[in-house]
Amino acid sequence: MMNISTPVKRLSLAEEVAGRIQDLIVSGKIVVDQQLPTEPELMAQYGVGRSSIREAIKVLVNRGFLKVQQGLGTFVISQSGSGEPLTTLLQRADFEDLNEVRLILEVKIAEKAAMLRSQKDVEKMKGFLKKRYEYAVANNLEACIQADINFHKSIADAARNEVMIDLYASVADMLKKSFVLRYGTTKTFVDTQHLHDALLQAIIDKDPKKAWSCATRITTHGK
């Protein structure tokens, strides 16, 4: 087993773990194309939990140092990274750019979810969509927006693409406060409930073309 560090004293600091691994990459102690140890091995070596290791890996993926290949492992792809972290880029982006990325993602996510969804995925979608409607009728804007985000996140989960899942979640969560200020009431959510119902049905029916069409109608509503 590769021994790449001593345990971290403060157990919950994923950023510290990321910094330790990044230092090893930059110094050449871990080289490009080299595979990192498994999660359990990293947990033991750094003395932290699984969630801290996963968050540290995400940080380094966003910085351009690592790439996660499903079924194979995590590999070093650069000794210098890609410069600005994705989270920083998203934080300084304006509303229109972020929202455009969100809308583009939703269409492709819907198509893939219709092909790959499980029954468990469908039940999660139904639950969030039901809450979306209940909060919309009650004009509980913030709760309605969160239920809407959760609904689309559950579709992203069903699409089985880790990059799209993380990117969609990051963009949508960053837009939440802007949505509250822009909408004011839940009228838009009431007006588009039937479109979301149709999207869910297309996913249930495993009809990717219809799911794409429904998602497009949602993303272009009011334009």
Side-chain angles (χ1 to χ4, degrees):
M1 181 179 71
M2 188 193 329
N3 185 12
I4 62 177
S5 185
T6 55
V8 174
K9 293 181 180 178
R10 289 174 293 175
L11 301 182
S12 63
L13 297 180
E15 274 285 351
E16 186 173 347
V17 175
R20 298 276 189 94
I21 297 175
Q22 181 174 320
D23 288 345
L24 292 169
I25 295 171
V26 172
S27 67
K29 293 179 180 178
I30 305 178
V31 299
V32 173
D33 293 332
Q34 186 171 347
Q35 183 177 0
L36 290 191
T38 64
E39 281 185 358
E41 290 170 339
L42 290 172
M43 289 163 59
Q45 290 174 22
Y46 286 102
V48 298
R50 188 178 301 273
S51 62
S52 294
I53 293 299
R54 289 184 174 178
E55 183 60 32
I57 296 301
K58 285 184 181 179
V59 168
L60 293 174
V61 168
N62 289 339
R63 291 177 183 173
F65 288 97
L66 300 178
K67 180 178 182 180
V68 177
Q69 296 184 323
Q70 288 188 342
L72 295 176
T74 303
F75 296 84
V76 177
I77 60 172
S78 173
Q79 191 176 358
S80 58
S82 58
E84 184 177 29
L86 177 60
T87 52
T88 303
L89 176 62
L90 293 177
Q91 286 170 356
R92 68 176 179 79
D94 62 27
F95 175 86
E96 295 302 331
D97 286 346
L98 282 174
N99 200 41
E100 185 175 23
V101 171
R102 180 185 68 89
L103 299 181
I104 291 170
L105 284 171
E106 283 184 2
V107 175
K108 186 61 180 179
I109 282 170
E111 179 190 45
K112 286 204 68 181
M115 294 186 284
L116 301 174
R117 63 85 178 160
S118 67
Q119 189 56 42
K120 185 178 179 180
D121 292 324
V122 170
E123 294 306 316
K124 286 174 62 179
M125 293 175 208
K126 285 181 178 179
F128 289 130
L129 192 57
K130 182 174 182 291
K131 289 181 180 178
R132 181 189 189 276
Y133 177 72
E134 291 172 351
Y135 290 134
V137 171
N139 198 32
N140 187 338
L141 181 60
E142 189 164 352
C144 182
I145 289 172
Q146 187 59 59
D148 180 78
I149 289 173
N150 289 342
F151 172 68
H152 287 286
K153 280 183 179 178
S154 68
I155 296 175
D157 289 340
R160 306 287 187 268
N161 183 313
E162 292 296 330
V163 176
M164 286 199 294
I165 290 170
D166 286 349
L167 183 56
Y168 182 83
S170 297
V171 172
D173 288 343
M174 210 156 287
L175 285 168
K176 183 180 176 182
K177 289 183 180 179
S178 297
F179 287 159
V180 173
L181 295 174
R182 282 173 173 264
Y183 287 118
T185 72
T186 58
K187 182 180 184 305
T188 296
F189 295 88
V190 173
D191 292 345
T192 59
Q193 184 69 25
H194 70 288
L195 298 177
H196 287 72
D197 289 336
L199 172 58
L200 176 58
Q201 190 59 53
I203 293 172
I204 291 172
D205 294 341
K206 292 194 170 183
D207 187 337
K209 288 184 178 179
K210 186 175 180 182
W212 178 287
S213 175
C214 290
T216 300
R217 290 173 63 196
I218 290 171
T219 60
T220 58
H221 177 79
K223 291 186 177 180

